[in-house]
Amino acid sequence: MKTIKFLSMLALTGILFTSCSDDDDTPEEVNEEEVITTMTVTLTPQGGGTNITLVSFDADGDDGPIEPVLTVSGDLAADTTYDGTIVLLNTTESPAELVNEEIEGEADEHQFFFVVGGGLNVTTAYADDESDYVSEATGENFTTTNPVGIDFTLTTAAASNGTLNITLLHEPTKPNDGTVEGAGGETDITATFALTIE
Amino acid sequence: MLFFSTLTHIVAQDCEARLTGTVVDYHDKTVLEGASILIIGTQTRTYSAKDGSFAFTGICKGVYELEVAHPTCETLIVPVTVNGDTAVEIKLEHHLEELEEVNVVGDVIRKKTNSALEESLKLETLESYSAASLGDALKELTGISSLNTGANIVKPIIHGLNGSRVLILNDGVRMQDMEWGDEHAPNIDINSAGTISVIKGASALQYGGDAIGGVIVMEQARVPKKDTLYGKTLLNGISNGRGGSISSELIRAFEGGFFIRGQGSYKRLGDREAPDYILSNTGVREIGTSIKFGKHKFIWGWDVRYSYYNAEIGILRASHIGNNDDLIRAINSGEPLFIRPFTYDLLNPKQDVTHHLGKFKFYHRFEGLGRLNFQYDFQSNRRFEFDIRRGDRDDRASLDLELTTHTLTSDFKWDAKENAELHFGLMGRYQENFANPDTGVRRLIPDYDKYDFGAFITGEYRFDNSLHLEAGIRYDFNRIDAQKFYLTSRWEERGYDNDFQDLIVENRGTQLLVNPVFDYHNISSTLGAKFILEDEYLIRVNYALAQRAPNPAELFSDGLHHSAARIELGDLRIGNETSHKITASLERDFAHWVFVIEPYANWVNDFILLEPTGVELSIRGAFPVWEYRQTDARLLGVDFSAYANWTSHWTSGHKFSLVKGNDFENDIALINIPAANLRNSITFSKAEWNDFELTLESQYVFRQNEFPDNITVFSPEQQQDVLLEINTPPEAYHLLGLQSKIGFQLGKTTELTTSLRINNIMDTSFRDYLSRQRFFADDLGRNIILQVKLNY
């Protein structure tokens, strides 16, 4: 009899356990924090002229099925040097989050790479280095001077067609040989724009 | 174990009485012949006759104690009051080998099934793997391989199947530790087990009906019912990883059946090394501890156990990649793209898993009937996965899941008949998963509540010594009630807006909150026979039907699995899978050698698998998409093992396993099927030299030639379609290993055993098909493990 009493008490405890933890709370929505939805590259011709913008926009970020949409506002002019700047946004948050701040704060762990393909007569050069940015870890400017690429220059030559690939790597080897292959790390963003030089 | 007692012998004048009785088996009341009955304090002894009866004559009136002993029973002391002619019935526990409470010397392992393929690892073997993991040790058995994520995350594969198809019973508790993920290893400290048995199939219905792959049963060594205090300590030094481990165990037992056992282990390794480079960020820190106490009497008993396991495991830094192009670069590079000097530091990416297990068990034996078991267990599993993240998020996990499980089980084993046994039981389980939203990463596995109910009955019948039959049936009900957010774009891409629109609870714009509630009914059964032919051949045949409900990953996965750089998509439409498995085994024991051959065939209808199907483009580039789908599959295989005693000092062992997996609906090979593997070993042993033993082992792993097609992906970087060699298996490899040990008796009860183990002696560079890191780096190079064991 003692046994049965004991067993039933135990069974009861078990039931209590399960019923207590049964809560039907609605889970909290998670908005992906590290999403980059938009990369906008603005090319400003030195000495005046029309700005060209290159945009890669992925409405649902890297998680969702929607493919990124690439837009190029116009053709580049021949024999011109453009000042380029890159702005990264997360538009799944409102207001849109400026991701640049995080890249700048970890400038030593990030680098943009520019790869020209398909006969486009273009050369690129870095116009910034890590020491231009304030380290988030120390609160002071970095003391190292490896390139970052948030600011760069793009110089066109004769009229041609081709592609410009822009890739942001996280934790590449720094300094590196300037190629994506040699840098390692992992891709945070990559977009290949079809460009024409008139 | 003789009891000392004071004889209370009251001398009386009347010494004419007869003391008669019968000795019977406790369970089924069969009479026991040849039991010795001694009147304690006198030299008067007699033996029970063929009908179990015995008689003493000329006994004086008084109170006596009889010591009743039988070769296959536990010795019993029975008090008797003689007041004139007296008759007694003495019940002995005859099923000695079937009793958990009774001290079983050495490695007597009772089989869980009679007709299924079953193999066990003994304590000695487990101890030699003290510094490794459960998955590593199990590979000693034929037909068992593993799916690895680095050297520290080892998931056992039985007959080609892993994950939710392999149940792990840890001291009677079915592990609930998120076994659904490829990079989720069992959260178990191997040092807590005394023996491990593997049942290669779903025949052990008492543990669950969904073991399409098999069941791994870990049990603790039995505690003797006597006053004793003993323990052991194992120390390991490990060259590859430049670390070591320590494990200790202490047991106190009392004659009355009370016992307490404590055990703890700690392991720490730094970066592991391939022959040519350091595998950066592959260290591990692991703690396991357990305490168990209880009282085990013959008629009844109870025990309580608590165990804790925590592991922090580094994931190869070079395997953390951003997109397809990174993967192509990694594959082409031939060596990891990230190598840093050796360190003990565990940086991101890494896992931090914790498992708590609490259990209470009670049993009561009913005379002439059987044994009733009752068990409640509680498990809490917490998993953090840390990724390389931007900004100050490195200390925040990208995945934070908390799985809580309560289980009540009760079963009754009827063993009153000598040649038949019936076992039936019930199981109820509640499970809750909580996915912490503070990660800032969309949940891969949603919040859910799960309810399981199961009932089984199994029976066994022995016609005579040469034929055993067994059969069983089990029913399981599963309900999963999940609350999940889907990206609206994903919901539509999956076509759920057509099929499951009614599940939507709330539309939050870009995301939808849905509440799927799915019920599954599973029937499993088994039928088997074991027979001995001409006293030479042992033949086992078993058929098992098993059904398994989809796990949460198969149903709900959706989105980018950051640590694997792949998009994993589950499917709400997935239903249960049904397996029909036939196994057979032929065993023959010659004077100097033994062989076992075990063919099997497993047809799985609606087999759930995850494989790469294409790519999805995003702003981060292209990612391979891995989708869960269902198909009809067939696994055919054979395990072969042989053992020979050439002389009294030289022995050799030979094992071969082969399995072929086919999706016969589409006529393509199944993914992640282990390659054929051949192991040969030769051992020299000499007991006179302090139990000296030396074994040389060769392991040859063939190349897997049957694999699904690679996928063609568009590389934005190269602006063209490229072949992503995501399925191409690596080449065959051959490894040599060495083991040696020697023991010293230090005192009456103290023994020291030292052993040396060298894995991959030749420091061969190799990659294994079933390693998830084969795209990025070679496997482990040479590893020297020096072990000191002290028994006291």
Side-chain angles (χ1 to χ4, degrees), chain B residues 259 339 591 711 790:
Chain B
F259 69 94
I339 300 172
I711 53 174
L790 194 64

Side-chain angles (χ1 to χ4, degrees), chain B residues 403-421:
Chain B
L403 187 69
T404 312
T405 313
H406 303 268
T407 311
L408 279 172
T409 50
S410 182
D411 64 276
F412 187 81
K413 194 180 237 175
W414 176 77
D415 55 5
K417 278 261 188 293
E418 178 73 354
N419 55 353
E421 200 174 285

Side-chain angles (χ1 to χ4, degrees), chain A residues 192, chain B residues 324-325 328 617 622 713-722:
Chain A
T192 304
Chain B
N324 258 348
D325 284 306
I328 294 168
L617 282 173
V713 299
F714 178 75
S715 160
E717 203 176 291
Q718 299 178 31
Q719 286 295 300
Q720 57 177 348
D721 282 338
V722 293

Side-chain angles (χ1 to χ4, degrees), chain A residues 3 10 28-30 32-34 36-37 58 60 62-63 102 106 171 180 186-188 190 192, chain B residues 317 320 326 329 374 389-391 393 396 440 442-443 489-490 508 511 560 618-620 716 719:
Chain A
T3 317
L10 219 91
E28 203 179 302
E29 183 176 346
V30 178
E32 196 85 16
E33 283 180 16
E34 277 162 278
I36 302 172
T37 56
D58 187 348
D60 56 3
D62 52 12
D63 222 11
E102 287 179 1
E106 289 180 343
E171 297 201 354
V180 176
E186 66 216 38
T187 309
D188 267 353
T190 185
T192 304
Chain B
R317 175 62 183 82
H320 195 270
D326 294 350
R329 273 197 293 279
F374 177 86
R389 303 180 73 174
R390 247 193 350 262
R393 299 184 187 92
R396 263 166 73 194
R442 289 186 57 251
R443 302 170 178 91
S489 54
R490 178 68 66 200
R508 304 247 180 122
Q511 295 197 49
L560 186 61
S618 81
I619 194 163
R620 261 175 92 176
Q719 286 295 300

